[in-house]
Amino acid sequence: AVADHVDNEITFRCWVENARSQSAKLAFLNLRQNLSTIQAVIAASDKLSKQMVKFCGTVPTESTIVVTGLVKRAPEPIKSASIQDYEIHIKKLFIEVKAEVPLPLQVDDAERPLPVETAAEEEQKEEGGERPLVSLNTRLNNRTIDLRAKINQSIFVVKSGVCAIFQEFLSKKGFTLVQTPKILGAASEGGANVFELKYFDRQAYLAQSPQFYKQMLIASRFQRVMEIGPVFRAENSNTARHLTEFTGLDLEMEFQEHYHEVMGVLEDLMLFIFKELNVRYKRETDLIRSVYHVDDFKLPESGKVPRIPFTEGIKMLREAGEELNDYDDLSTPQEKHLGRLVLEKYGTDFYVLDQFPLAIRPAYTMPSPHDPKLSNSYDFFMRGQEICSGAQRIHDSELLSKQMRQHDPPIDPNGAGTKDYVDCFRYGCPPHAGGGFGLERIVQFWLGLPNIRMCSLFPRDPQRVVP
Ligand code: ATP
Ligand code: AMO
C-alpha cells in the first residue's frame, strides 16, 4: 500500500488514465493499476527539465509506463483518484509501450452506462455530458480496451467469485468436481438447438449441457458431482439474456427420500453465494450497481426461500389479469410479471417454482406421483428471470425409454448417442436430482445489468463470433 511508503521513493509499472500539462513547468497524470488510481505530479526544477515535464504531460492515454517517484501526502483529498490522500512526485518516467492515438474506444466511455437502445438521441447523453453513450456493439468490437474499465473488471471479479464460492460450498457438502465431454455423439437436451460438428468422417455435436454425463456419473456411484463448464446452444435468440456459448454451473446428487432434499441444497447454495458476494465483493457490486442505478438484491428476511408450486404461480398471474391455462408455459414477460408479484408478496428477488407441467420439460424429467401432467421439476429465478432449471430424473431405463419415445419431438432411446445413457440405468442407479445454473445470468441479475453480453469476456451470440 502506498501509505507504507510516505516520503520514500518507489518504482512501479502502471498505465496512464490521462496526462495533462498545466503549464510549461507543471504536469499531472492519473496513473492506474487494476482498480486503483493515484495522481502523479511533475514540476520543473534544477533537477527536472521543462522538456521532461512536457514529455510527462503528453504521454498518450493508456500507455504502459514505469514510474519512479516520491510518495507524498496530498495537500487535500484528490477527487479524481481512488487513492485520495497520497500522490506521486515523479522523478523518472519511462514509456514501455506507447498507446496509439486516437483510441478506438475511450476507457472513460466504457465506464458509463450503455445507451437505452430505443431512447431518443438526446436521452442517450448523460445529464450535463457532451459525448453520447457508446453502444454495446462498439464496446464489444473493442473488447480489450472496453474490459479495462473498472466497471468491467469488477463484473469479472464478481463472476470469478461466484465460481469460487459455488465450488467452496459444494466441496464442503461432498461434491466431486468433474469435467464431462463437450464433443458428443448426440444432443443432450433434445435435438433442436445443437451445433453440429464435423468429427473426422462422422457427425458430432457440441454439448448443450452436461446432463447425460452427470447422470451417468451418479449411475457410476459418484453420489454427488458438480461441474463448471462451457455450454453451447444453437438458439437464434437475440435477447438480452441468451448467449450461444455460456458457462454452466451444474450439479447432480443422489437423494434419500425426496427430491426436495436437492432443492434444499440448491437454495442453501444460492443463499451462501449471495451472502458471500455481499461480503467479499461488496466494493465491486456497489460500483456496478451505482452506474446502472440498480436496487439492492432482496433476499427473504426469514431466510426461507419461497417454493411456489407452478399452479400457484399461474393462479397469482391470473388474479393479476394474465390469461393462462393450468399447464401453459410462461412467456418471458409473464415470468417477469410473476417476479414482481413474488417481490410484493414475499419481499424477495430470489425464489423457486416447483412442479412444472411435464409436457414443457425434457424427457428425462420424473413425472409427478400426484398428477401425471406435472413433474418433479423446478426453476430458480432472480429478479423475475430464470437462472436455473432442475429436476428429479428418471432412474429407470424402461420408463426413460417410454418417456423419450412419447416426447415432443420423440427421441430414439436406442440412438447412437442416447443408448449408452439409457442403458446406464439398467444396472442399478439410485434416485437422483440436480440442476444447471447459467453463470452469466446469475452475475447479470445479481448486479442488475441490462445485457448478458456484459458478463461474458468475449460473448458469442447468433451475430457475433469475434473478437
Ligand atoms: P430454458 O431453455 O431452460 O427454458 P431460457 O430462459 O433460455 O431457459 P428459452 O426456452 O430458451 O428459456 O426461452 C425462454 C423465453 O425467451 C421464450 O419463451 C421467449 O419469450 C424468449 N425468447 C427466446 N428467444 C427469443 C427471441 N429470439 N426473441 C425474443 N424472445 C425470445
Ligand atoms: P436449461 O436448458 O434450462 O437446463 O439451462 C440451464 C440454465 O442455463 C442458463 N441458460 C442460458 N444462459 C445463457 N444463454 C443461453 N442461451 C442459455 N440457455 C440456458 C439458464 C438456465 O436456467 N440440463 C438442464 C439442467 C438440469 O436439469 O440440471 C438444462 O440444461 O440460466
Side-chain angles (χ1 to χ4, degrees), residues 189 211 214 233 235 243 364 386-389 393 435-436 438:
E189 296 289 322
Q211 188 61 40
K214 58 183 187 172
R233 299 276 167 103
E235 308 178 275
L243 295 166
Y364 50 73
E386 178 198 320
I387 54 144
C388 170
S389 280
R393 328 297 186 181

Side-chain angles (χ1 to χ4, degrees), residues 39-172:
Q39 178 169 275
V41 52
I42 180 161
S45 67
D46 31 347
K47 286 190 195 126
L48 287 168
S49 66
K50 279 189 187 170
Q51 283 97 313
M52 174 67 177
V53 174
K54 188 174 170 201
F55 169 72
C56 289
T58 54
V59 181
T61 294
E62 291 303 309
S63 300
T64 303
I65 62 171
V66 179
V67 179
T68 301
L70 219 49
V71 178
K72 285 284 182 191
R73 211 169 276 285
E76 55 190 83
I78 299 161
K79 294 217 173 65
S80 64
S82 68
I83 300 170
Q84 306 206 322
D85 297 335
Y86 303 94
E87 60 182 11
I88 306 288
H89 289 218
I90 295 179
K91 290 194 159 175
K92 279 190 236 162
L93 186 152
F94 171 67
I95 301 183
E96 259 191 346
V97 183
K98 197 174 188 164
E100 279 185 30
V101 182
L103 293 164
L105 172 71
Q106 300 293 327
V107 177
D108 277 353
D109 282 342
E111 297 288 7
R112 300 158 69 216
L114 290 179
V116 179
E117 300 301 341
T118 52
E121 195 63 31
E122 50 277 15
E123 285 175 291
Q124 312 235 336
K125 292 176 188 162
E126 267 182 309
E127 291 143 56
E130 274 93 62
R131 290 204 304 270
L133 296 172
V134 178
S135 74
L136 181 60
N137 253 335
T138 303
R139 296 184 194 208
L140 294 178
N141 288 341
N142 298 285
R143 191 62 160 157
T144 51
I145 296 179
D146 185 44
L147 286 172
R148 296 176 187 188
K150 288 191 195 92
I151 177 169
N152 289 331
Q153 299 263 317
S154 302
I155 291 170
F156 292 95
V157 169
V158 170
K159 188 175 179 181
S160 161
V162 174
C163 290
I165 302 165
F166 174 88
Q167 268 200 55
E168 187 180 313
F169 180 88
L170 293 176
S171 293
K172 281 209 190 107

Side-chain angles (χ1 to χ4, degrees), residues 126-409:
E126 267 182 309
E127 291 143 56
E130 274 93 62
R131 290 204 304 270
L133 296 172
V134 178
S135 74
L136 181 60
N137 253 335
T138 303
R139 296 184 194 208
L140 294 178
N141 288 341
N142 298 285
R143 191 62 160 157
T144 51
I145 296 179
D146 185 44
L147 286 172
R148 296 176 187 188
K150 288 191 195 92
I151 177 169
N152 289 331
Q153 299 263 317
S154 302
I155 291 170
F156 292 95
V157 169
V158 170
K159 188 175 179 181
S160 161
V162 174
C163 290
I165 302 165
F166 174 88
Q167 268 200 55
E168 187 180 313
F169 180 88
L170 293 176
S171 293
K172 281 209 190 107
K173 297 255 178 223
F175 283 76
T176 304
L177 182 68
V178 300
Q179 292 79 30
T180 63
K182 302 304 159 204
I183 301 176
L184 306 189
S188 46
E189 296 289 322
N193 304 326
V194 63
F195 284 112
E196 294 181 2
L197 184 71
K198 196 168 159 291
Y199 191 74
F200 304 105
D201 53 358
R202 267 189 293 176
Q203 176 103 331
Y205 308 90
L206 288 179
Q208 293 159 296
S209 104
Q211 188 61 40
F212 286 5
Y213 291 90
K214 58 183 187 172
Q215 288 190 258
M216 286 159 82
L217 290 172
I218 298 298
S220 313
R221 306 272 189 255
F222 280 87
Q223 295 166 311
R224 299 180 162 202
V225 295
M226 60 169 153
E227 176 163 9
I228 300 177
V231 174
F232 304 94
R233 299 276 167 103
E235 308 178 275
N236 199 357
S237 294
N238 298 286
T239 76
R241 61 192 188 101
H242 286 88
L243 295 166
T244 50
E245 178 176 350
F246 65 93
T247 312
L249 299 178
D250 271 86
L251 62 91
E252 200 67 30
M253 63 180 269
E254 176 182 340
F255 62 80
Q256 299 308 317
E257 307 283 344
H258 199 279
Y259 77 99
H260 280 180
E261 291 162 34
V262 181
M263 278 171 73
V265 171
L266 291 166
E267 289 162 1
D268 291 348
L269 163 69
M270 290 312 293
L271 291 178
F272 182 74
I273 291 177
F274 299 143
K275 185 172 125 249
E276 291 304 309
L277 287 176
N278 268 331
V279 176
R280 298 185 208 175
Y281 301 97
K282 188 170 175 5
R283 179 180 163 197
E284 289 82 0
T285 298
D286 288 349
L287 170 83
I288 300 160
R289 286 188 190 156
S290 72
V291 173
Y292 281 92
H293 310 289
V294 174
D295 291 340
D296 283 352
F297 190 85
K298 288 179 200 63
L299 288 167
E301 250 170 50
S302 64
K304 238 176 101 68
V305 182
R307 282 184 194 172
I308 304 167
F310 185 84
T311 45
E312 170 66 23
I314 295 268
K315 218 171 111 207
M316 286 169 73
L317 282 168
R318 268 200 218 126
E319 280 165 10
E322 299 274 357
E323 281 181 32
L324 274 165
N325 293 320
D326 280 353
Y327 301 99
D328 280 354
D329 202 357
L330 302 182
S331 69
T332 304
Q334 285 165 342
E335 282 179 356
K336 288 185 184 166
H337 189 177
L338 185 58
R340 293 193 295 275
L341 297 175
V342 172
L343 181 60
E344 265 169 40
K345 186 165 174 187
Y346 299 95
T348 172
D349 284 312
F350 176 58
Y351 54 93
V352 191
L353 279 185
D354 188 19
Q355 291 281 309
F356 271 70
L358 183 65
I360 59 170
R361 304 298 277 199
Y364 50 73
T365 308
M366 185 65 92
S368 171
H370 309 295
D371 177 348
K373 290 186 85 175
L374 295 177
S375 64
N376 288 355
S377 68
Y378 37 83
D379 276 5
F380 285 59
F381 293 84
M382 287 171 69
R383 301 191 199 261
Q385 306 209 56
E386 178 198 320
I387 54 144
C388 170
S389 280
Q392 179 181 350
R393 328 297 186 181
I394 299 171
H395 56 283
D396 173 273
S397 63
E398 294 306 320
L399 180 59
L400 180 59
S401 302
K402 180 174 145 240
Q403 292 297 100
M404 286 171 96
R405 284 195 202 95
Q406 285 176 3
H407 197 257
D408 179 23

